[in-house]
Amino acid sequence: MVLEDQMKRLWGVIEDFESRIKNLESGKSTSEEVRMILMGPPGAGKGTQAPRIKDKFNCCHLATGDMLRSQVAKKTPLGKEAKKIMDQGGLVSDEIVIGMIKEELENNKECRGGFILDGFPRTVVQAERLDGMLKERDQKLQHAVELQIDDSLLVARITGRLVHPASGRTYHSTFNPPKDRMKDDVTGEPLIQRSDDNPDALRKRLVTYHKQTAPVVGYYKNSGIWKGVDASQEPGQVWKDLLKVFDKKA
């Protein structure tokens, strides 16, 4: 076991060295790391902007729903515990979600460049738990970005949204259509429209979102890391405004 542990640590050093070489070759500073939360109502554009941030910083995108499904599929201890709760119709605890995030940060190679959290925290208690977990790692959040858009504009956006289930890539039948109808641009696999992407379901989700998120926004405003970005603009302009958030001179 001692030899096995030593080999694992050695491989970790080698992989970290390779990652640093890759960053230098690409012109990316090894100290350039992003640790952020991306907030916004359904249809605000998180699924469009998060992959761009991920590519720029060579970091991981941790969407809590995707993480949960992955843990259940892989039948990890956390996944088994979560499945048991969900099968009984219960809500997965903060401890399980924090545990999943911690596991990803420790074991997901992409997370060495930092992370984007999407869908968590949803409450002030969860935000405090997240801060505590990061403190144990001698880290802290750098940015809490809220994509802001009027509810009335979201109906048109959400009812035309198309999703690639495996990757989470999103398209829109009018504003951002795929190259081939109902097919993912990267894999060519079929796109779907989620059953709850309809006006009535959206309005209910928005009520819940605003009720939950307002205190969380206040929490991060008090900490000084909150930034709001106008998400009613076209995606290219939203991206330009997001880049200003990461500009240390801004």
Side-chain angles (χ1 to χ4, degrees):
M1 284 297 293
V2 174
L3 180 59
E4 184 179 343
D5 291 340
Q6 290 176 339
M7 289 299 296
K8 285 181 179 178
R9 284 196 292 270
L10 177 60
W11 277 115
V13 171
I14 293 172
E15 288 172 348
D16 184 60
F17 179 74
E18 290 176 342
S19 176
R20 289 171 179 268
I21 293 295
K22 181 180 178 181
N23 287 336
L24 289 170
E25 289 175 344
S26 65
K28 176 176 179 279
S29 169
T30 55
S31 62
E32 185 180 9
E33 182 178 321
V34 63
R35 296 184 296 277
M36 70 174 291
I37 291 165
L38 188 61
M39 299 181 286
K46 298 190 298 296
T48 299
Q49 301 301 337
R52 290 181 171 184
I53 301 170
K54 175 181 176 178
D55 288 344
K56 175 174 174 58
F57 290 97
N58 193 27
C59 63
C60 60
H61 174 206
L62 302 180
T64 50
D66 294 342
M67 279 194 298
L68 193 56
R69 285 186 287 272
S70 174
Q71 292 284 331
V72 171
K74 290 189 289 188
K75 297 182 179 180
T76 64
L78 283 171
K80 290 177 180 177
E81 189 176 349
K83 186 176 187 302
K84 189 186 303 180
I85 294 169
M86 290 187 295
D87 287 347
Q88 294 172 352
L91 294 174
V92 176
S93 67
D94 295 349
E95 286 77 11
I96 290 178
V97 178
I98 287 288
M100 288 192 302
I101 293 170
K102 187 175 182 179
E103 186 170 308
E104 288 289 334
L105 294 183
E106 291 175 350
N107 299 313
N108 187 337
K109 295 177 185 178
E110 287 185 328
C111 294
R112 289 176 182 170
F115 61 84
I116 310 156
L117 273 182
D118 176 358
F120 189 90
R122 294 181 183 272
T123 67
V124 172
V125 171
Q126 290 177 350
E128 292 171 342
R129 292 293 307 276
L130 177 62
D131 283 347
M133 185 271 287
L134 290 174
K135 187 176 181 180
E136 292 175 359
R137 297 172 54 84
D138 293 322
Q139 294 179 333
K140 61 169 61 175
L141 284 172
Q142 299 166 323
H143 310 286
V145 178
E146 182 185 12
L147 298 181
Q148 300 174 303
I149 183 171
D150 191 84
D151 288 359
S152 61
L153 297 175
L154 291 172
V155 175
R157 279 194 179 188
I158 207 78
T159 52
R161 183 165 66 175
L162 305 171
V163 181
H164 178 237
S167 68
R169 278 186 290 275
T170 59
Y171 303 84
H172 193 280
S173 56
T174 302
F175 307 124
N176 181 34
K179 294 174 183 176
D180 294 323
R181 187 175 181 276
M182 294 301 293
K183 290 185 179 180
D184 178 50
D185 288 351
V186 178
T187 65
E189 294 171 344
L191 302 176
I192 65 166
Q193 185 168 33
R194 291 172 178 159
S195 59
D196 58 351
D197 280 353
N198 62 75
D200 289 339
L202 173 62
R203 291 186 184 97
K204 292 177 182 176
R205 288 160 67 192
L206 287 173
V207 169
T208 301
Y209 172 80
H210 291 306
K211 184 177 179 180
Q212 287 183 333
T213 307
V216 178
V217 169
Y219 178 85
Y220 288 119
K221 281 183 176 179
N222 289 336
S223 71
I225 65 171
W226 176 90
K227 290 281 174 55
V229 172
D230 181 2
S232 67
Q233 308 170 96
E234 59 90 19
Q237 185 57 50
V238 174
W239 174 238
K240 289 179 182 177
D241 288 351
L242 271 171
L243 290 178
K244 294 175 185 177
V245 171
F246 304 117
D247 186 354
K248 296 178 182 178
K249 298 177 183 179

